[in-house]
């Protein structure tokens, strides 16, 4: 593998300078046979979307999907990023200046759109510098080639850049050979405007590692002590060892190319069949895309925004596969508006009303771009905001009362909130309904506990009556307690009380016993009813045992 048999070391830094936000972005990937480094400077004013990050990730995504060092592929990577920026240009037109290098570890190709630059040093001197696509560069090229444009007033007047609406023409170089010891520097304008190529070359003298080099270059930049330091990015690639191709390997590639040509000739006859198959697939994708959009619209009309979001996303993916920029852009905008509404609803449920209003206003504004998409639903939300505030306050009051165990008060507050929620089809209504159910369950639980407490009191009174031999009264208490236990479905208690009632009945209505056979007992010797003796009274332990 080429990477294992070469030695490329990369170091970079990207800083915001005097600004809060860094609109520069750098990233790279080193695959087994080919590597890609990309440095981008965002040129627009969008505060939410980083056009630089968007562009870099788009290029690397496409590169890793199908890595190649061909000029045609590199142009495809850049055009993919160009389309991404154009499609995401919802508030402002996204723009960026890019420089990228692709290498197979023995050669490289550099691509530029704008004025981000590549410097190539060999043996400590500048070997190559990319050409800006700016008016200043054009003036230099046409009139005075010795003019330094680092401080030229037209250096940022770009003739070409990522996000350009028409006639986008990035520069892609031919393959350039690399040698051991070469150093590549990718940078944005925030760096090269203040650090010249001579200083870059001088800084190379005593450094061994790319980290030392980027740190030193940053020191040179900051030593200028400018009142305003722009965003800057410096990436250094030390080519310590390039991949060496042997003649054997070259022959291997020649054989591979020859084999590919033969296969191409053989397969050529199947091209018509392939095209027909491809056409069928495209037709199926078109139907799929339309179906997802139609389903998304229906879910949107029904207020089921989560499902609408999913359908629009699926439809957009189908449009991507079809390479249909019109529908892809349309579905992306519907997706975005739906997402804004969902975000607004969530923020409203959280009580963040001002932020929710911002989301709705954005959705309304962006909906105007596609025939006032979602206008009615969005305006209704804005108009309902006062009611939503009242709902939120009622829910908050209910939550407070619930925590304080004032469940009846909480139930009243939740019911008030739900009544208002139903009138405006508030999306948080199911959550309020759940709160009502939880509160009702708590109230039912308390009522049950109160009944059980009452039953226990009655049972205890029954035990006391039994102990004082008031069996009729004991039966009354036991019966009342038993009825309550039946209501609360405490069956073990019901059975326990049944035994107590039977015992009390036995005491109240004892079964008479006759004299032993063959011996008459004189009437005056019949033992008195020992109802008043301790032996006939159930002990506490007996009562409790029977009651369980």
């Amino acid at each position: 593998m080429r990477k294992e048999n070469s030695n490329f070391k990369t170091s970079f830094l990207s800083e915001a300078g005097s600004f809060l936000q860094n609109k520069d972005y750098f990233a790279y990937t080193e695959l087994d046979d080919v590597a890609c480094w990309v440095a981008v400077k965002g040129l627009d004013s969008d505060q939410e979307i980083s056009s630089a990050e968007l562009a870099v990730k788009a290029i690397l995504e496409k590169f890793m999907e199908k890595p190649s060092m061909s000029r045609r592929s590199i142009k495809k990577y850049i055009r993919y990023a160009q389309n991404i920026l154009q499609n995401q240009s919802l508030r402002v037109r996204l723009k960026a200046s890019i420089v990228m290098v692709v290498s197979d570890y023995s050669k490289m190709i550099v691509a530029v759109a704008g004025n981000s630059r590549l410097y190539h040093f060999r043996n400590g001197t500048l070997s190559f510098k990319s050409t800006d696509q700016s008016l200043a560069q054009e003036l230099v090229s046409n009139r005075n080639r010795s003019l330094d444009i680092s401080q030229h007033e037209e250096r940022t007047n770009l003739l070409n850049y990522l996000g350009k609406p028409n006639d986008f023409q990035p520069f892609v170089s031919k393959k350039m050979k690399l040698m051991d010891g070469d150093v590549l520097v990718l940078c944005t304008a925030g760096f090269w405007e203040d650090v010249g190529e001579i200083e870059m070359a001088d800084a190379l003298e005593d450094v061994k590692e790319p980290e030392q080099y980027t740190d030193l270059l940053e020191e040179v930049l900051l030593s200028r002590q400018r009142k305003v330091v722009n965003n800057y990015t410096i990436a250094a690639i030390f080519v310590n060892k390039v991949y060496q191709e042997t003649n054997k390997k070259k022959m291997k590639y020649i054989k591979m190319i020859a084999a590919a040509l033969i296969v191409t000739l053989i397969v050529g006859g199947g091209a018509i069949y392939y095209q027909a198959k491809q056409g069928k697939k495209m037709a199926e994708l078109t139907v799929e895309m339309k179906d997802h959009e139609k389903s998304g619209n229906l879910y949107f009309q029904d207020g089921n925004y989560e499902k609408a979001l999913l359908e629009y996303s699926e439809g957009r993916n189908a449009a991507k596969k079809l390479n249909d920029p019109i529908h892809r852009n349309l579905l992306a905008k519907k997706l975005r508006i739906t997402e804004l509404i969902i975000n607004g609803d969530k923020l409203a449920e959280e009580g963040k009303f001002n932020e929710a209003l911002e989301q709705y206003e954005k959705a309304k504004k962006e909906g105007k771009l596609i025939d006032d998409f979602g206008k009615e639903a969005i305006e209704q939300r804005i108009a309902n905001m006062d009611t939503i505030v009242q709902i939120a306050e009622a829910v908050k009051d209910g939550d407070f009362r619930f925590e304080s165990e004032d469940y009846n008060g909480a139930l009243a507050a939740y019911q008030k909130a739900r009544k208002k929620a139903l009138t405006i089809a508030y999306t948080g209504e199911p959550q309020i309904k759940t709160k009502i159910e939880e509160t009702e369950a708590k109230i039912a639980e308390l009522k049950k506990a109160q009944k059980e407490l009452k039953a226990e009191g009655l049972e205890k009174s029954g035990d006391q009556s039994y102990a004082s031999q008031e069996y009729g009264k004991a039966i009354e208490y036991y019966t009342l307690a038993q009825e309550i236990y039946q209501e609360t479905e405490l069956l073990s208690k019901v059975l326990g009380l049944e035994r107590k009632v039977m015992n009390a009945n036995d005491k109240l209505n004892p079964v008479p016993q006759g004299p032993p056979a063959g011996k008459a007992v004189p009437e005056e010797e019949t033992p008195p009813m020992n109802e008043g003796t301790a032996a006939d009274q159930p002990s506490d332990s007996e009562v409790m045992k029977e009651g369980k």
Side-chain angles (χ1 to χ4, degrees), residues 37-40 59 74-75 78 96-102 109-119 128-134 137 158-162 168-173 176 185-187 192:
W37 296 264
V38 191
V40 178
I59 286 174
I74 292 170
K75 285 179 181 176
I78 295 178
S97 170
I98 179 176
V99 58
M100 68 180 285
V101 171
V102 178
I109 289 179
V110 58
V112 174
N115 62 356
S116 294
R117 291 181 178 176
L118 168 74
Y119 292 85
F128 170 80
K129 182 176 77 174
S130 61
T131 304
D132 293 353
Q133 294 181 317
S134 66
Q137 183 66 57
L158 301 183
L159 305 177
N160 201 47
Y161 52 86
L162 272 181
F168 174 63
Q169 295 293 336
F171 164 78
V172 180
S173 75
M176 293 182 274
V185 177
L186 286 79
C187 57
W192 62 252

Side-chain angles (χ1 to χ4, degrees), residues 267-282:
V267 174
I272 295 174
Y273 168 75
Y274 172 76
Q275 286 178 359
K277 192 175 179 181
Q278 189 69 6
K280 183 183 176 185
K281 185 180 177 183
M282 298 298 274

Side-chain angles (χ1 to χ4, degrees), residues 3 28 57 144 199 208 228 264 329 392 431 467 481 510 515 533:
K3 182 183 176 185
Y28 71 102
K57 288 183 175 178
N144 185 354
E199 291 167 305
K208 303 294 183 187
V228 177
T264 302
N329 197 27
Q431 287 77 13
T533 65

Side-chain angles (χ1 to χ4, degrees), residues 8 20 43-44 68 71 73 122 134 151 153 213 245 266 295 345 355 390 392 428 430 451 462 514 530:
F8 282 54
L20 292 175
L43 302 172
D44 52 75
S68 171
R71 296 180 69 208
S73 296
R122 178 169 292 165
S134 66
Q151 295 300 320
E153 61 180 359
Y213 187 47
E245 292 186 24
I266 294 170
S295 298
D345 290 348
E355 295 173 43
Q390 292 172 14
K451 285 183 178 179
N530 294 327

Side-chain angles (χ1 to χ4, degrees), residues 242-254:
V242 298
Y243 176 76
Q244 297 295 328
E245 292 186 24
T246 63
N247 290 333
K248 186 177 178 181
K249 287 177 180 174
K250 285 181 179 176
M251 284 304 297
K252 180 182 173 183
Y253 293 136
I254 290 170

Side-chain angles (χ1 to χ4, degrees), residues 41-175:
K41 181 178 186 59
L43 302 172
D44 52 75
S45 58
D46 196 309
Q47 297 298 311
E48 294 185 11
I49 296 177
S50 169
S51 52
E53 182 179 353
L54 207 61
V56 171
K57 288 183 175 178
I59 286 174
L60 291 183
E61 175 193 338
K62 222 46 181 170
F63 174 77
M64 294 176 75
E65 183 181 307
K66 195 173 181 180
S68 171
M69 195 182 157
S70 72
R71 296 180 69 208
R72 184 178 177 184
S73 296
I74 292 170
K75 285 179 181 176
K76 281 185 179 178
Y77 304 150
I78 295 178
R79 288 201 176 276
Y80 179 68
Q82 161 82 352
N83 291 337
I84 292 283
L85 289 196
Q86 288 185 330
N87 291 337
Q88 294 295 324
S89 297
L90 301 175
R91 290 175 291 274
V92 299
R93 184 152 56 82
L94 300 180
K95 297 176 285 187
S97 170
I98 179 176
V99 58
M100 68 180 285
V101 171
V102 178
S103 172
D104 62 357
Y105 302 103
S106 63
K107 297 179 283 299
M108 73 167 180
I109 289 179
V110 58
V112 174
N115 62 356
S116 294
R117 291 181 178 176
L118 168 74
Y119 292 85
H120 179 191
F121 295 95
R122 178 169 292 165
N123 298 323
T125 58
L126 184 66
S127 170
F128 170 80
K129 182 176 77 174
S130 61
T131 304
D132 293 353
Q133 294 181 317
S134 66
L135 180 58
Q137 183 66 57
E138 191 171 87
L139 292 172
V140 169
S141 301
N142 295 337
R143 300 175 189 176
N144 185 354
R145 291 179 181 276
S146 64
L147 184 66
D148 177 14
I149 66 167
S150 61
Q151 295 300 320
H152 195 285
E153 61 180 359
E154 298 294 347
R155 65 188 184 281
T156 57
N157 187 354
L158 301 183
L159 305 177
N160 201 47
Y161 52 86
L162 272 181
K164 186 182 179 186
N166 302 305
D167 196 27
F168 174 63
Q169 295 293 336
F171 164 78
V172 180
S173 75
K174 294 180 179 177
K175 288 182 182 178

